[in-house]
Amino acid sequence: MALPAVKVTINFSTGASFGQAFIIGTGLLGQDVLADSTAVIVDVSSQVQNINTTRGRNILTEQFQTGTATVVLADETGNFNPQNTSSPFFGLLLPLRKVQIAANDPTTGVTTNIFSGYITAYDYRQSQFVGEVSTTTLTALDATQLLTLATVSTVTGAVAGETTGVRFGRILDQVGWPSGLRDVDTGLTTVQANPTNARTATSALAQLALTEFGAFYVDVDGAVVFQDRLLTSTSVAGTPTAFVDSGAGIRYYNAEFKLDDSQIFNQANVTAGAISATYKDQTSVDQYFLHTYDATSLLMDTATNADNWARAMVASRKDTSIRCDSITLNLNTPDYTAGVTAALTLDYFDPITVTQTQPGSSSITKTLQVFGVAHSINYLNGSWFTRFTTAEPIIDSFIIGNSQYGILGQSVLSY
């Protein structure tokens, strides 16, 4: 079947600016910014040889990482030579120009962004053999990179007692992040006065997300997202997309199943300024030995909230079971309409099930959530693989004091 059509757009706007330029038929009205008269917006899709994008959470550090993309372009005219005065891009080939990668589902006709970010490097490879084409590789990072470049200390309007989401929004205001490129929940945890030490905006925002037991990331449209624990710590809603190695469901190319103790934490130590809390599950310690999680420099403003956080962490991580860390889809699989749509539309927190046949007429089925998406597209050999990294979803929720937390099903903290 036909692979999705990919559109790669570069916006060589004058000066650094946030957001993707709105282009009729491709942008997002209300999120993207209108291109000014001096912007040079170029569709380089016809020059693409391969694309690799990666977005998701690092399962060991328990943080959503900066999204990355590489795009290899054939350059037969020298347009990407920064010293070519005849190039239409002369004087415009600068770092931190905006790039957006979108894919059109050939079945539904829907175009979906799979990456939005900023070019950090142009790497050149000249042809060495007859018939070989010179290439320029664009390396791009999502907006987390821009927030890492910005330093904050004092934050205008920040006061003790406000919620994590309110403080999150104030930090975005402080660095001039546009309101149309953010999706910020109010948050359920109140925080201390803003720390005044100099730190990157990324680390300041991540600190709030961890305090909330929530999530901070940049989505495929380039918007900064903060989600409170009602989303990250509640049971999965909706019907999961089913992936199978045989039978009814979407066939997958590979699945990584594993059973180990790497995600167990049966003691949590929380430090929030002068506030501290520790909680330990002795039954888990007796079963697996001590596995400690240290959460330092959090911002909750009461000892009760710190204790609740420690209890929630241990409740979610004190046990283990076989898990599925990732599945890979081969979009060249015959009759793969549903697989292509899933590859382009599934994103963070979307529920899925993965079933693998085992010896002795047995099988493993896991209910999961998507926590990472990577696309590997090679036009030279006509391949497209999509890899979802996964973690078990919330299986229940519980009340500690007046605070609602969720139990992650033997998996990782939704952060």
Side-chain angles (χ1 to χ4, degrees):
M1 63 172 294
L3 292 176
V6 173
K7 185 167 188 175
V8 179
T9 304
I10 303 173
N11 176 14
F12 292 111
S13 296
T14 56
S17 62
F18 298 116
Q20 302 295 321
F22 178 73
I23 307 168
I24 299 299
T26 64
L28 292 177
L29 190 59
Q31 282 194 0
D32 298 341
V33 295
L34 293 177
D36 59 35
S37 59
T38 59
V40 177
I41 300 168
V42 182
D43 184 344
V44 296
S45 307
S46 63
Q47 299 172 251
V48 172
Q49 290 190 343
N50 63 66
I51 296 171
N52 287 281
T53 68
T54 302
R55 302 171 52 249
R57 186 187 60 192
N58 183 311
I59 206 165
L60 297 178
T61 64
E62 301 187 2
Q63 297 182 31
F64 283 98
Q65 302 295 289
T66 301
T68 66
T70 58
V71 180
V72 179
L73 303 173
D75 187 11
E76 298 180 274
T77 61
N79 282 347
F80 281 89
N81 175 2
Q83 294 187 341
N84 180 8
T85 57
S86 299
S87 167
F89 313 143
F90 181 69
L92 301 173
L93 294 167
L94 300 170
L96 299 180
R97 302 307 90 175
K98 295 177 284 292
V99 62
Q100 195 163 62
I101 305 170
N104 180 269
D105 188 326
T107 300
T108 65
V110 175
T111 297
T112 305
N113 289 330
I114 60 175
F115 181 84
S116 297
Y118 301 81
I119 299 170
T120 57
Y122 305 81
D123 296 319
Y124 301 93
R125 184 182 186 278
Q126 299 307 308
S127 58
Q128 303 295 317
F129 306 100
V130 175
E132 187 180 32
V133 177
S134 298
T135 61
T136 299
T137 299
L138 310 180
T139 301
L141 302 176
D142 71 17
T144 310
Q145 170 68 6
L146 301 185
L147 295 168
T148 300
L149 296 173
T151 299
V152 298
S153 53
T154 58
V155 175
T156 302
V159 295
E162 63 189 358
T163 63
T164 48
V166 171
R167 178 72 57 79
F168 193 99
R170 294 193 196 281
I171 293 173
L172 292 180
D173 291 341
Q174 191 75 25
V175 299
W177 193 261
S179 59
L181 279 168
R182 60 176 83 173
D183 179 6
V184 179
D185 289 346
T186 302
L188 301 173
T189 300
T190 52
V191 294
Q192 302 173 20
N194 176 67
T196 57
N197 59 300
R199 61 213 190 276
T200 70
T202 295
S203 63
L205 298 172
Q207 182 184 41
L208 289 165
L210 190 57
T211 299
E212 172 64 29
F213 214 117
F216 153 50
Y217 58 88
V218 175
D219 68 18
V220 292
D221 302 316
V224 175
V225 179
F226 171 75
Q227 292 178 324
D228 66 29
R229 63 177 178 266
L230 280 185
L231 185 141
T232 63
S233 300
T234 52
S235 300
V236 174
T239 303
T241 301
F243 294 94
V244 298
D245 58 352
S246 63
I250 300 172
R251 297 184 299 281
Y252 56 83
Y253 176 76
N254 186 42
E256 298 178 66
F257 283 88
K258 185 177 292 186
L259 174 59
D260 60 28
D261 70 338
S262 64
Q263 297 180 26
I264 292 175
F265 289 110
N266 44 39
Q267 177 173 294
N269 300 324
V270 176
T271 303
I275 297 170
S276 64
T278 296
Y279 183 76
K280 179 170 67 174
D281 186 285
Q282 190 60 49
T283 300
S284 176
V285 173
D286 293 343
Q287 180 80 358
Y288 303 112
F289 298 100
L290 185 65
H291 293 62
T292 302
Y293 185 94
D294 291 311
T296 60
S297 302
L298 299 188
L299 292 173
M300 63 275 292
D301 58 358
T302 68
T304 298
N305 281 338
D307 182 66
N308 288 346
W309 196 103
R311 289 171 178 270
M313 181 61 175
V314 171
S316 70
R317 301 290 298 277
K318 62 186 177 64
D319 298 305
T320 189
S321 67
I322 192 167
R323 65 181 191 270
C324 179
D325 286 346
S326 72
I327 61 167
T328 301
L329 311 183
N330 180 358
L331 272 59
N332 268 322
T333 301
D335 303 320
Y336 211 53
T337 299
V340 170
T341 299
L344 299 184
T345 58
L346 290 177
D347 203 46
Y348 299 155
F349 301 105
D350 285 337
I352 65 173
T353 60
V354 180
T355 299
Q356 184 180 78
T357 302
Q358 295 288 304
S361 300
S362 64
S363 64
I364 300 171
T365 298
K366 300 297 292 186
T367 300
L368 308 161
Q369 283 178 314
V370 173
F371 277 106
V373 185
H375 297 282
S376 180
I377 309 164
N378 191 322
Y379 282 99
L380 298 181
N381 62 21
S383 66
W384 185 321
F385 292 91
T386 297
R387 181 175 183 264
F388 296 118
T389 52
T390 58
E392 292 193 39
I394 306 307
I395 58 173
D396 202 352
S397 63
F398 63 96
I399 303 296
I400 302 177
N402 295 320
S403 300
Q404 181 176 4
Y405 289 83
I407 299 179
L408 297 169
Q410 324 307 338
S411 190
V412 298
L413 175 64
S414 293
Y415 172 71

